[in-house]
Amino acid sequence: MGLESVNYQCPACGGPLRYDGGKGKLVCDHCDSEFEVAQIEAMFANAEAKAEERAAGASAQTLDGGYVCASCGAQLMTDGTVAVSRCPYCGNQTMQAATFTGDFKPDLVI
């Protein structure tokens, strides 16, 4: 089971991509572009890896209490008690698993 959902943006226009089951592809309703799922996942995995490298290179103060959005790579700050949040830039819902520790760690997050 994945820890977060990802909303992919169209590489051509930046609009949201949706999965079309009939075509088996990710489709952009804004510019009518179509992409293979594996192609988009590889593209965004590469972007995520680059974002993590940039985040690792950033100072500890910059990321203290924050996280990097897996969808768009934005560095977002939280107060350290936030476990589930939504990126204000791309709308991706992200769960910070590191906040679930100790005696109060839940068995499941819905």
Side-chain angles (χ1 to χ4, degrees):
M1 181 173 92
L3 293 178
E4 60 187 59
S5 65
V6 178
N7 297 319
Y8 294 122
Q9 281 78 40
C10 176
C13 73
L17 293 175
R18 67 173 175 80
Y19 182 74
D20 186 327
K23 295 179 181 179
K25 295 183 177 185
L26 293 169
V27 178
C28 177
D29 291 328
H30 297 281
C31 68
D32 296 326
S33 296
E34 296 180 358
F35 303 94
E36 295 291 332
V37 175
Q39 174 189 5
I40 293 295
E41 285 179 345
M43 184 184 308
F44 278 88
N46 186 27
E48 182 179 347
K50 288 180 182 178
E52 288 176 5
E53 287 175 15
R54 285 192 307 267
S59 67
Q61 285 184 336
T62 304
L63 295 178
D64 186 27
Y67 66 97
V68 176
C69 176
S71 182
C72 69
Q75 291 184 7
L76 305 170
M77 302 305 292
T78 62
D79 65 2
T81 61
V82 175
V84 179
S85 61
R86 181 182 298 264
C87 176
Y89 301 105
C90 68
N92 182 43
Q93 291 185 352
T94 305
M95 180 173 62
Q96 290 81 29
T99 59
F100 296 115
T101 59
D103 294 336
F104 299 109
K105 182 176 179 179
D107 294 329
L108 177 65
V109 175
I110 298 175

Coordinates of all heavy atoms in Angstrom, one line a residue:
M1 N 0.8 -1.2 0.0 CA 0.0 0.0 0.0 C 0.9 1.2 0.0 O 1.8 1.3 0.8 CB -0.9 0.0 1.2 CG -1.8 1.2 1.3 SD -3.0 1.0 2.6 CE -2.1 1.9 3.9
G2 N 0.6 2.2 -0.9 CA 1.4 3.4 -1.0 C 1.1 4.3 0.2 O 0.0 4.3 0.8
L3 N 2.1 5.2 0.5 CA 1.9 6.1 1.6 C 1.3 7.5 1.1 O 0.9 8.3 1.9 CB 3.3 6.4 2.3 CG 3.8 5.2 3.0 CD1 5.2 5.6 3.6 CD2 2.9 4.7 4.1
E4 N 1.3 7.7 -0.2 CA 0.8 9.0 -0.6 C 0.2 8.8 -2.0 O 0.5 7.9 -2.8 CB 1.9 10.0 -0.6 CG 3.0 9.7 -1.5 CD 4.2 10.7 -1.3 OE1 4.7 10.9 -0.2 OE2 4.5 11.3 -2.3
S5 N -0.7 9.7 -2.4 CA -1.2 9.8 -3.7 C -0.5 10.8 -4.5 O 0.1 11.8 -3.9 CB -2.7 10.0 -3.7 OG -2.9 11.3 -3.2
V6 N -0.4 10.7 -5.8 CA 0.3 11.7 -6.6 C -0.6 12.1 -7.7 O -1.3 11.3 -8.4 CB 1.6 11.0 -7.2 CG1 2.3 12.0 -8.2 CG2 2.5 10.6 -6.2
N7 N -0.7 13.4 -7.9 CA -1.5 14.0 -9.0 C -0.5 14.5 -10.1 O 0.3 15.4 -9.8 CB -2.3 15.2 -8.5 CG -3.4 14.7 -7.5 OD1 -4.0 13.7 -7.7 ND2 -3.5 15.5 -6.5
Y8 N -0.4 13.8 -11.2 CA 0.5 14.2 -12.2 C 0.0 15.3 -13.0 O -1.2 15.5 -13.3 CB 0.8 13.0 -13.2 CG 1.5 11.8 -12.5 CD1 0.9 10.6 -12.5 CD2 2.7 12.0 -11.9 CE1 1.5 9.5 -11.9 CE2 3.4 10.9 -11.3 CZ 2.8 9.7 -11.3 OH 3.4 8.6 -10.7
Q9 N 1.0 16.2 -13.4 CA 0.6 17.4 -14.3 C 1.1 17.1 -15.7 O 2.2 16.4 -15.9 CB 1.3 18.6 -13.8 CG 0.6 19.3 -12.6 CD 0.8 18.6 -11.3 OE1 2.0 18.2 -11.0 NE2 -0.2 18.4 -10.5
C10 N 0.4 17.6 -16.6 CA 0.8 17.4 -18.1 C 2.1 18.1 -18.3 O 2.3 19.3 -18.1 CB -0.3 18.0 -18.9 SG 0.0 17.9 -20.7
P11 N 3.1 17.4 -18.9 CA 4.4 18.0 -19.3 C 4.2 19.0 -20.4 O 5.0 19.9 -20.5 CB 5.2 16.8 -19.8 CG 4.5 15.6 -19.3 CD 3.1 15.9 -19.2
A12 N 3.2 19.0 -21.2 CA 3.0 19.9 -22.3 C 2.4 21.2 -21.8 O 2.8 22.3 -22.3 CB 2.1 19.3 -23.3
C13 N 1.4 21.2 -20.9 CA 0.7 22.4 -20.5 C 0.6 22.7 -19.0 O 0.2 23.7 -18.6 CB -0.7 22.5 -21.1 SG -1.9 21.4 -20.4
G14 N 0.9 21.7 -18.2 CA 0.8 21.8 -16.8 C -0.5 21.5 -16.2 O -0.7 21.6 -15.0
G15 N -1.5 21.2 -17.0 CA -2.8 20.8 -16.5 C -2.8 19.4 -15.8 O -1.9 18.7 -16.0
P16 N -3.9 19.1 -15.1 CA -3.9 17.8 -14.4 C -4.1 16.7 -15.4 O -4.9 16.8 -16.4 CB -5.1 17.9 -13.4 CG -5.9 19.0 -14.0 CD -5.0 19.9 -14.7
L17 N -3.5 15.5 -15.1 CA -3.7 14.4 -16.0 C -4.7 13.4 -15.3 O -4.7 13.3 -14.1 CB -2.4 13.6 -16.2 CG -1.3 14.3 -17.0 CD1 0.0 13.5 -17.0 CD2 -1.8 14.6 -18.4
R18 N -5.5 12.8 -16.1 CA -6.4 11.8 -15.5 C -6.2 10.5 -16.3 O -5.8 10.5 -17.4 CB -7.9 12.2 -15.6 CG -8.4 12.4 -17.0 CD -9.9 12.7 -17.1 NE -10.3 12.9 -18.4 CZ -10.5 11.9 -19.3 NH1 -10.4 10.7 -18.9 NH2 -10.9 12.2 -20.5
Y19 N -6.5 9.4 -15.6 CA -6.4 8.1 -16.2 C -7.6 7.7 -17.0 O -8.7 7.8 -16.5 CB -6.1 7.0 -15.2 CG -5.9 5.6 -15.8 CD1 -4.7 5.3 -16.4 CD2 -6.9 4.7 -15.8 CE1 -4.5 4.1 -17.0 CE2 -6.7 3.4 -16.3 CZ -5.5 3.1 -17.0 OH -5.3 1.9 -17.5
D20 N -7.5 7.4 -18.3 CA -8.6 7.0 -19.2 C -8.4 5.5 -19.3 O -7.5 5.0 -20.0 CB -8.4 7.7 -20.5 CG -9.6 7.4 -21.4 OD1 -10.2 6.3 -21.3 OD2 -10.0 8.3 -22.2
G21 N -9.4 4.7 -18.7 CA -9.3 3.3 -18.7 C -9.5 2.7 -20.1 O -8.9 1.6 -20.4
G22 N -10.3 3.3 -20.9 CA -10.5 2.8 -22.3 C -9.2 2.8 -23.1 O -8.9 1.9 -23.9
K23 N -8.4 3.9 -22.9 CA -7.2 4.0 -23.7 C -6.0 3.4 -22.9 O -5.0 3.1 -23.5 CB -6.9 5.5 -24.0 CG -8.0 6.2 -24.9 CD -7.6 7.6 -25.0 CE -8.7 8.3 -25.9 NZ -8.4 9.7 -26.1
G24 N -6.2 3.3 -21.6 CA -5.0 2.8 -20.8 C -3.9 3.8 -20.7 O -2.8 3.4 -20.5
K25 N -4.3 5.1 -20.8 CA -3.3 6.1 -20.8 C -3.7 7.3 -19.9 O -4.9 7.4 -19.5 CB -3.1 6.7 -22.2 CG -2.5 5.8 -23.2 CD -2.2 6.4 -24.5 CE -1.6 5.5 -25.5 NZ -1.2 6.1 -26.8
L26 N -2.7 8.1 -19.5 CA -3.0 9.4 -18.8 C -3.3 10.4 -19.9 O -2.6 10.6 -20.8 CB -1.9 9.8 -18.0 CG -1.6 8.8 -16.8 CD1 -0.2 9.2 -16.1 CD2 -2.7 8.9 -15.8
V27 N -4.5 11.1 -19.7 CA -4.9 12.1 -20.7 C -5.1 13.5 -20.0 O -5.5 13.6 -18.9 CB -6.3 11.6 -21.2 CG1 -6.9 12.6 -22.2 CG2 -6.2 10.2 -21.8
C28 N -4.7 14.5 -20.8 CA -4.9 15.9 -20.4 C -6.1 16.4 -21.1 O -6.2 16.4 -22.3 CB -3.7 16.7 -20.7 SG -3.8 18.5 -20.3
D29 N -7.1 16.9 -20.3 CA -8.3 17.5 -20.9 C -8.1 18.9 -21.4 O -8.9 19.4 -22.2 CB -9.4 17.5 -19.8 CG -9.9 16.1 -19.5 OD1 -9.9 15.2 -20.4 OD2 -10.3 15.9 -18.3
H30 N -7.0 19.5 -21.1 CA -6.7 20.9 -21.5 C -6.1 20.9 -22.9 O -6.5 21.7 -23.7 CB -5.9 21.6 -20.5 CG -6.5 21.8 -19.2 ND1 -7.5 22.7 -18.9 CD2 -6.4 21.0 -18.0 CE1 -7.9 22.6 -17.7 NE2 -7.3 21.6 -17.1
C31 N -5.1 20.1 -23.2 CA -4.4 20.1 -24.4 C -4.5 18.8 -25.3 O -3.9 18.7 -26.3 CB -2.9 20.5 -24.2 SG -2.0 19.2 -23.4
D32 N -5.3 17.9 -24.8 CA -5.6 16.6 -25.4 C -4.4 15.8 -25.6 O -4.3 14.9 -26.5 CB -6.3 16.9 -26.8 CG -7.7 17.5 -26.6 OD1 -8.3 17.2 -25.6 OD2 -8.1 18.3 -27.5
S33 N -3.3 16.0 -24.8 CA -2.1 15.1 -24.9 C -2.4 13.8 -24.2 O -3.2 13.7 -23.3 CB -1.0 15.8 -24.2 OG -0.6 17.0 -24.8
E34 N -1.8 12.7 -24.7 CA -1.9 11.4 -24.1 C -0.5 10.9 -23.8 O 0.4 11.0 -24.6 CB -2.7 10.5 -25.0 CG -4.1 10.9 -25.3 CD -4.8 9.9 -26.3 OE1 -4.1 9.0 -26.8 OE2 -5.9 10.2 -26.6
F35 N -0.4 10.2 -22.6 CA 0.9 9.7 -22.2 C 0.7 8.3 -21.6 O -0.3 8.0 -21.0 CB 1.5 10.6 -21.1 CG 1.7 12.0 -21.6 CD1 0.7 13.0 -21.3 CD2 2.8 12.4 -22.2 CE1 0.9 14.3 -21.7 CE2 3.0 13.7 -22.6 CZ 2.0 14.7 -22.3
E36 N 1.7 7.5 -21.9 CA 1.8 6.2 -21.2 C 2.0 6.3 -19.7 O 2.8 7.2 -19.4 CB 2.9 5.3 -21.8 CG 2.7 4.9 -23.3 CD 1.5 4.0 -23.5 OE1 1.2 3.2 -22.6 OE2 0.9 4.1 -24.6
V37 N 1.4 5.5 -18.9 CA 1.6 5.6 -17.5 C 3.0 5.5 -17.1 O 3.6 6.3 -16.3 CB 0.7 4.6 -16.7 CG1 0.9 4.7 -15.2 CG2 -0.8 4.9 -17.0
A38 N 3.7 4.5 -17.6 CA 5.1 4.2 -17.3 C 6.0 5.4 -17.7 O 6.9 5.8 -16.9 CB 5.6 3.0 -18.0
Q39 N 5.7 6.1 -18.8 CA 6.5 7.3 -19.2 C 6.3 8.4 -18.2 O 7.4 9.0 -17.8 CB 5.9 7.7 -20.6 CG 6.5 9.0 -21.1 CD 5.8 9.5 -22.4 OE1 4.8 9.0 -22.8 NE2 6.4 10.6 -22.9
I40 N 5.1 8.7 -17.8 CA 4.9 9.8 -16.8 C 5.5 9.4 -15.4 O 6.1 10.2 -14.8 CB 3.4 10.1 -16.7 CG1 2.9 10.7 -18.0 CG2 3.1 11.0 -15.5 CD1 3.5 12.0 -18.4
E41 N 5.3 8.1 -15.0 CA 5.9 7.7 -13.7 C 7.4 7.9 -13.7 O 8.0 8.3 -12.8 CB 5.5 6.3 -13.4 CG 4.0 6.2 -12.9 CD 3.6 4.8 -12.6 OE1 4.3 3.8 -13.0 OE2 2.5 4.7 -12.0
A42 N 8.1 7.5 -14.8 CA 9.5 7.6 -14.9 C 9.9 9.1 -14.9 O 10.9 9.4 -14.3 CB 10.0 6.9 -16.2
M43 N 9.2 9.9 -15.6 CA 9.5 11.3 -15.7 C 9.4 12.0 -14.3 O 10.3 12.7 -13.9 CB 8.6 12.0 -16.7 CG 8.9 13.5 -16.9 SD 7.6 14.3 -18.0 CE 7.6 13.2 -19.4
F44 N 8.3 11.7 -13.6 CA 8.1 12.3 -12.3 C 9.0 11.6 -11.2 O 9.4 12.3 -10.3 CB 6.7 12.3 -11.9 CG 5.9 13.4 -12.6 CD1 5.4 13.3 -13.8 CD2 5.8 14.6 -11.9 CE1 4.7 14.3 -14.4 CE2 5.1 15.7 -12.5 CZ 4.6 15.5 -13.8
A45 N 9.4 10.4 -11.4 CA 10.3 9.8 -10.5 C 11.7 10.4 -10.6 O 12.4 10.7 -9.6 CB 10.5 8.3 -10.7
N46 N 12.1 10.8 -11.8 CA 13.3 11.5 -12.0 C 13.2 12.9 -11.4 O 14.2 13.3 -10.8 CB 13.6 11.6 -13.5 CG 14.9 12.2 -13.9 OD1 15.9 12.1 -13.1 ND2 15.1 12.8 -15.0
A47 N 12.1 13.6 -11.6 CA 11.9 14.9 -11.0 C 12.0 14.8 -9.5 O 12.5 15.7 -8.8 CB 10.6 15.5 -11.5
E48 N 11.3 13.8 -8.9 CA 11.3 13.6 -7.5 C 12.7 13.3 -6.9 O 13.1 13.9 -5.9 CB 10.4 12.4 -7.1 CG 10.3 12.2 -5.6 CD 9.3 11.1 -5.3 OE1 8.6 10.6 -6.1 OE2 9.3 10.6 -4.1
A49 N 13.5 12.5 -7.6 CA 14.9 12.3 -7.2 C 15.7 13.5 -7.2 O 16.5 13.8 -6.3 CB 15.5 11.2 -8.1
K50 N 15.5 14.4 -8.2 CA 16.2 15.6 -8.3 C 15.8 16.6 -7.1 O 16.6 17.3 -6.5 CB 16.0 16.3 -9.6 CG 16.7 15.7 -10.8 CD 16.5 16.4 -12.1 CE 17.2 15.7 -13.2 NZ 16.9 16.4 -14.5
A51 N 14.5 16.6 -6.8 CA 14.0 17.4 -5.7 C 14.6 16.9 -4.4 O 14.9 17.7 -3.5 CB 12.5 17.3 -5.7
E52 N 14.7 15.6 -4.2 CA 15.2 15.1 -3.0 C 16.7 15.4 -2.9 O 17.2 15.7 -1.8 CB 15.0 13.5 -2.9 CG 13.6 13.2 -2.6 CD 13.3 11.7 -2.6 OE1 14.3 10.9 -2.8 OE2 12.2 11.3 -2.5
E53 N 17.4 15.4 -4.0 CA 18.8 15.8 -4.0 C 19.0 17.3 -3.6 O 19.9 17.6 -2.8 CB 19.5 15.6 -5.4 CG 19.7 14.1 -5.7 CD 20.2 14.0 -7.1 OE1 20.7 15.0 -7.8 OE2 20.2 12.8 -7.6
R54 N 18.1 18.1 -4.1 CA 18.1 19.5 -3.8 C 17.8 19.7 -2.3 O 18.4 20.5 -1.6 CB 17.2 20.3 -4.6 CG 17.6 20.6 -6.0 CD 16.8 21.6 -6.7 NE 15.4 21.3 -6.7 CZ 14.7 20.6 -7.6 NH1 15.3 20.2 -8.7 NH2 13.4 20.4 -7.5
A55 N 16.8 18.9 -1.8 CA 16.4 19.0 -0.4 C 17.5 18.6 0.5 O 17.8 19.1 1.6 CB 15.2 18.2 -0.2
A56 N 18.2 17.5 0.1 CA 19.3 17.0 0.9 C 20.5 18.0 1.0 O 21.2 18.1 2.0 CB 19.8 15.7 0.4
G57 N 20.6 18.8 -0.1 CA 21.7 19.8 -0.1 C 21.3 21.1 0.6 O 22.2 21.9 0.9
A58 N 20.0 21.2 0.9 CA 19.6 22.5 1.6 C 20.0 22.4 3.0 O 20.2 21.3 3.6 CB 18.1 22.6 1.5
S59 N 20.0 23.5 3.7 CA 20.4 23.5 5.1 C 19.3 22.9 6.0 O 18.2 22.8 5.6 CB 20.6 25.0 5.6 OG 19.4 25.7 5.6
A60 N 19.7 22.4 7.1 CA 18.8 21.7 8.0 C 17.7 22.6 8.5 O 16.6 22.2 8.7 CB 19.6 21.1 9.2
Q61 N 18.0 23.9 8.7 CA 17.0 24.9 9.1 C 15.9 25.1 8.1 O 14.8 25.2 8.5 CB 17.7 26.2 9.4 CG 18.5 26.2 10.7 CD 19.0 27.6 11.0 OE1 19.2 28.4 10.0 NE2 19.3 27.9 12.2
T62 N 16.3 25.0 6.9 CA 15.3 25.2 5.8 C 14.2 24.1 5.8 O 13.1 24.3 5.6 CB 16.0 25.2 4.4 OG1 17.0 26.2 4.4 CG2 15.0 25.5 3.3
L63 N 14.6 22.8 6.1 CA 13.7 21.7 6.1 C 13.2 21.3 7.5 O 12.5 20.3 7.6 CB 14.4 20.5 5.4 CG 14.7 20.7 3.9 CD1 15.3 19.5 3.3 CD2 13.4 21.1 3.2
D64 N 13.7 21.9 8.5 CA 13.2 21.6 9.9 C 11.7 21.8 10.0 O 11.2 22.9 9.8 CB 13.9 22.4 10.9 CG 13.6 22.0 12.3 OD1 13.3 20.8 12.5 OD2 13.7 22.8 13.3
G65 N 11.0 20.8 10.2 CA 9.5 20.9 10.3 C 8.8 21.0 9.0 O 7.6 21.3 8.9
G66 N 9.5 20.7 7.9 CA 8.9 20.8 6.6 C 9.1 19.5 5.8 O 9.6 18.5 6.3
Y67 N 8.7 19.5 4.5 CA 8.8 18.4 3.7 C 8.9 18.8 2.2 O 8.6 20.0 1.9 CB 7.7 17.4 3.9 CG 6.3 17.9 3.5 CD1 5.8 17.6 2.2 CD2 5.6 18.7 4.3 CE1 4.6 18.0 1.8 CE2 4.3 19.2 3.9 CZ 3.8 18.8 2.7 OH 2.6 19.3 2.3
V68 N 9.2 17.9 1.3 CA 9.3 18.2 -0.1 C 8.1 17.4 -0.7 O 7.9 16.2 -0.5 CB 10.6 17.7 -0.7 CG1 10.6 17.9 -2.2 CG2 11.8 18.4 -0.1
C69 N 7.3 18.2 -1.5 CA 6.1 17.6 -2.2 C 6.6 16.6 -3.2 O 7.5 16.9 -4.1 CB 5.3 18.6 -2.8 SG 3.9 18.0 -3.8
A70 N 6.1 15.4 -3.2 CA 6.5 14.3 -4.1 C 6.0 14.6 -5.5 O 6.6 14.1 -6.5 CB 6.0 13.0 -3.7
S71 N 5.0 15.4 -5.7 CA 4.4 15.6 -7.0 C 5.1 16.8 -7.7 O 5.5 16.6 -8.9 CB 2.9 15.9 -6.9 OG 2.4 16.1 -8.1
C72 N 5.3 17.9 -7.0 CA 5.9 19.1 -7.7 C 7.2 19.5 -7.2 O 7.9 20.4 -7.9 CB 4.9 20.3 -7.7 SG 4.7 21.0 -6.0
G73 N 7.7 18.9 -6.1 CA 9.0 19.3 -5.6 C 9.1 20.5 -4.8 O 10.2 20.9 -4.4
A74 N 8.0 21.1 -4.4 CA 8.0 22.3 -3.6 C 8.4 22.0 -2.2 O 8.0 20.9 -1.6 CB 6.6 23.0 -3.6
Q75 N 9.2 22.9 -1.5 CA 9.5 22.7 -0.1 C 8.4 23.4 0.7 O 8.2 24.6 0.6 CB 10.9 23.3 0.1 CG 12.0 22.6 -0.5 CD 13.3 23.2 -0.1 OE1 13.4 24.0 0.7 NE2 14.4 22.7 -0.7
L76 N 7.8 22.6 1.5 CA 6.7 23.1 2.3 C 7.0 23.0 3.8 O 7.5 22.0 4.2 CB 5.4 22.3 2.0 CG 5.0 22.3 0.5 CD1 3.9 21.4 0.2 CD2 4.7 23.7 0.0
M77 N 6.6 24.0 4.6 CA 6.9 24.0 6.0 C 5.6 23.7 6.8 O 4.5 24.1 6.4 CB 7.3 25.4 6.4 CG 8.6 25.9 5.7 SD 10.0 24.7 5.8 CE 10.4 24.9 7.5
T78 N 5.8 22.9 7.8 CA 4.7 22.5 8.7 C 5.2 22.8 10.2 O 6.4 23.0 10.4 CB 4.2 21.1 8.6 OG1 5.3 20.2 8.9 CG2 3.8 20.8 7.2
D79 N 4.3 22.7 11.1 CA 4.7 23.0 12.5 C 5.2 21.7 13.2 O 5.5 21.8 14.4 CB 3.5 23.5 13.3 CG 2.4 22.6 13.4 OD1 2.5 21.4 13.0 OD2 1.3 23.0 14.0
G80 N 5.4 20.6 12.5 CA 6.0 19.5 13.1 C 5.0 18.5 13.6 O 5.3 17.4 14.0
T81 N 3.7 18.9 13.8 CA 2.7 18.0 14.3 C 1.7 17.6 13.2 O 0.9 16.8 13.4 CB 1.9 18.7 15.4 OG1 1.2 19.9 14.9 CG2 2.8 19.1 16.6
V82 N 1.9 18.2 12.0 CA 1.0 17.8 10.9 C 1.5 16.5 10.3 O 2.6 16.3 10.0 CB 1.1 18.9 9.8 CG1 0.3 18.6 8.6 CG2 0.6 20.3 10.4
A83 N 0.5 15.6 10.2 CA 0.8 14.3 9.6 C 0.4 14.1 8.2 O 1.1 13.5 7.4 CB 0.2 13.2 10.5
V84 N -0.8 14.7 7.9 CA -1.3 14.6 6.5 C -1.6 16.0 6.1 O -2.3 16.8 6.8 CB -2.6 13.7 6.5 CG1 -3.1 13.7 5.0 CG2 -2.3 12.3 6.9
S85 N -1.2 16.4 4.9 CA -1.4 17.7 4.4 C -1.6 17.7 2.9 O -1.4 16.7 2.2 CB -0.3 18.7 4.8 OG 0.9 18.3 4.3
R86 N -2.0 18.9 2.3 CA -2.2 19.0 0.9 C -1.2 20.1 0.4 O -1.2 21.2 1.0 CB -3.6 19.4 0.6 CG -3.9 19.6 -0.9 CD -5.4 20.0 -1.1 NE -6.3 18.9 -0.6 CZ -6.8 18.0 -1.3 NH1 -6.5 17.9 -2.6 NH2 -7.7 17.1 -0.8
C87 N -0.5 19.9 -0.7 CA 0.4 20.9 -1.2 C -0.5 22.0 -1.8 O -1.4 21.8 -2.6 CB 1.2 20.3 -2.3 SG 2.3 21.4 -3.2
P88 N -0.2 23.3 -1.4 CA -1.0 24.4 -1.9 C -0.7 24.7 -3.4 O -1.4 25.4 -4.0 CB -0.6 25.6 -1.0 CG 0.8 25.2 -0.5 CD 0.8 23.7 -0.4
Y89 N 0.4 24.2 -3.9 CA 0.8 24.5 -5.3 C 0.2 23.5 -6.3 O -0.3 24.0 -7.3 CB 2.3 24.5 -5.4 CG 3.0 25.5 -4.5 CD1 3.7 25.0 -3.4 CD2 2.9 26.8 -4.8 CE1 4.3 26.0 -2.6 CE2 3.5 27.7 -4.0 CZ 4.2 27.3 -2.8 OH 4.8 28.2 -2.0
C90 N 0.2 22.2 -6.0 CA -0.3 21.3 -6.9 C -1.5 20.5 -6.4 O -2.1 19.7 -7.2 CB 0.8 20.3 -7.4 SG 1.3 19.2 -6.1
G91 N -1.9 20.6 -5.2 CA -3.0 19.8 -4.6 C -2.7 18.4 -4.2 O -3.6 17.7 -3.8
N92 N -1.5 18.0 -4.3 CA -1.1 16.6 -3.9 C -1.2 16.4 -2.4 O -0.8 17.2 -1.6 CB 0.3 16.3 -4.3 CG 0.8 14.9 -4.0 OD1 0.0 14.0 -4.3 ND2 2.0 14.7 -3.5
Q93 N -1.9 15.3 -2.0 CA -2.0 15.0 -0.6 C -0.8 14.2 -0.2 O -0.4 13.2 -0.8 CB -3.3 14.2 -0.3 CG -4.5 15.0 -0.5 CD -5.8 14.3 -0.1 OE1 -5.7 13.1 0.2 NE2 -6.9 15.0 -0.1
T94 N -0.2 14.6 0.9 CA 1.1 14.0 1.3 C 1.0 13.6 2.8 O 0.4 14.4 3.6 CB 2.3 14.9 1.1 OG1 2.3 15.3 -0.2 CG2 3.6 14.3 1.5
M95 N 1.5 12.4 3.1 CA 1.5 12.0 4.5 C 3.0 11.9 4.9 O 3.8 11.3 4.3 CB 0.9 10.6 4.7 CG 0.9 10.1 6.1 SD 0.0 8.6 6.3 CE 0.9 7.4 5.3
Q96 N 3.3 12.6 6.0 CA 4.7 12.6 6.6 C 4.7 11.4 7.6 O 4.3 11.6 8.8 CB 5.0 13.9 7.3 CG 5.2 15.1 6.3 CD 3.9 15.7 5.9 OE1 2.9 15.6 6.6 NE2 3.8 16.2 4.7
A97 N 5.2 10.3 7.2 CA 5.2 9.1 8.0 C 6.1 9.3 9.2 O 5.9 8.6 10.2 CB 5.7 7.9 7.2
A98 N 7.1 10.2 9.2 CA 8.0 10.4 10.3 C 7.2 10.9 11.6 O 7.7 10.8 12.7 CB 9.1 11.3 9.9
T99 N 6.1 11.5 11.4 CA 5.3 12.1 12.5 C 4.6 11.0 13.3 O 4.1 11.2 14.4 CB 4.3 13.1 12.1 OG1 3.4 12.6 11.1 CG2 5.0 14.3 11.5
F100 N 4.5 9.8 12.7 CA 3.8 8.7 13.3 C 4.8 7.8 14.0 O 5.3 6.8 13.5 CB 3.0 7.8 12.3 CG 1.9 8.6 11.6 CD1 2.0 8.8 10.2 CD2 0.8 9.0 12.3 CE1 0.9 9.5 9.6 CE2 -0.2 9.7 11.7 CZ -0.2 9.9 10.3
T101 N 5.2 8.2 15.2 CA 6.1 7.4 16.0 C 5.7 7.3 17.4 O 4.8 7.9 17.9 CB 7.5 8.2 16.0 OG1 7.3 9.5 16.6 CG2 8.1 8.3 14.6
G102 N 6.4 6.4 18.1 CA 6.2 6.2 19.6 C 4.9 5.5 19.9 O 4.3 4.7 19.1
D103 N 4.4 5.7 21.1 CA 3.2 5.1 21.6 C 1.9 5.4 20.9 O 1.0 4.6 20.9 CB 3.0 5.4 23.1 CG 4.1 4.8 24.0 OD1 4.7 3.9 23.5 OD2 4.3 5.4 25.0
F104 N 1.9 6.5 20.2 CA 0.7 7.0 19.5 C 0.7 6.7 18.1 O -0.1 7.2 17.3 CB 0.5 8.5 19.8 CG 0.3 8.8 21.2 CD1 1.3 9.5 21.9 CD2 -0.8 8.4 21.9 CE1 1.1 9.8 23.2 CE2 -1.0 8.7 23.2 CZ 0.0 9.4 23.9
K105 N 1.5 5.8 17.6 CA 1.6 5.4 16.2 C 0.4 4.6 15.8 O 0.1 3.6 16.4 CB 2.9 4.6 15.9 CG 3.0 4.3 14.4 CD 4.3 3.5 14.2 CE 4.4 3.2 12.7 NZ 5.6 2.5 12.4
P106 N -0.5 5.1 14.9 CA -1.7 4.3 14.5 C -1.3 3.1 13.7 O -0.3 3.0 13.0 CB -2.5 5.3 13.7 CG -1.4 6.2 13.1 CD -0.3 6.3 14.1
D107 N -2.2 2.1 13.7 CA -2.1 1.0 12.8 C -2.4 1.3 11.4 O -1.9 0.6 10.5 CB -3.0 -0.2 13.3 CG -2.6 -0.7 14.7 OD1 -1.4 -0.6 15.0 OD2 -3.5 -1.1 15.5
L108 N -3.3 2.3 11.2 CA -3.8 2.6 9.8 C -4.2 4.0 9.8 O -4.7 4.6 10.8 CB -5.0 1.7 9.6 CG -5.7 1.9 8.3 CD1 -4.9 1.5 7.1 CD2 -7.0 1.0 8.3
V109 N -4.0 4.7 8.6 CA -4.4 6.0 8.4 C -5.4 6.0 7.2 O -5.0 5.4 6.2 CB -3.3 7.0 8.1 CG1 -3.8 8.4 7.7 CG2 -2.3 7.1 9.3
I110 N -6.6 6.5 7.4 CA -7.6 6.4 6.3 C -7.6 7.8 5.6 O -7.6 8.8 6.2 CB -9.0 6.1 6.9 CG1 -8.9 4.7 7.5 CG2 -10.0 6.2 5.8 CD1 -10.2 4.4 8.2

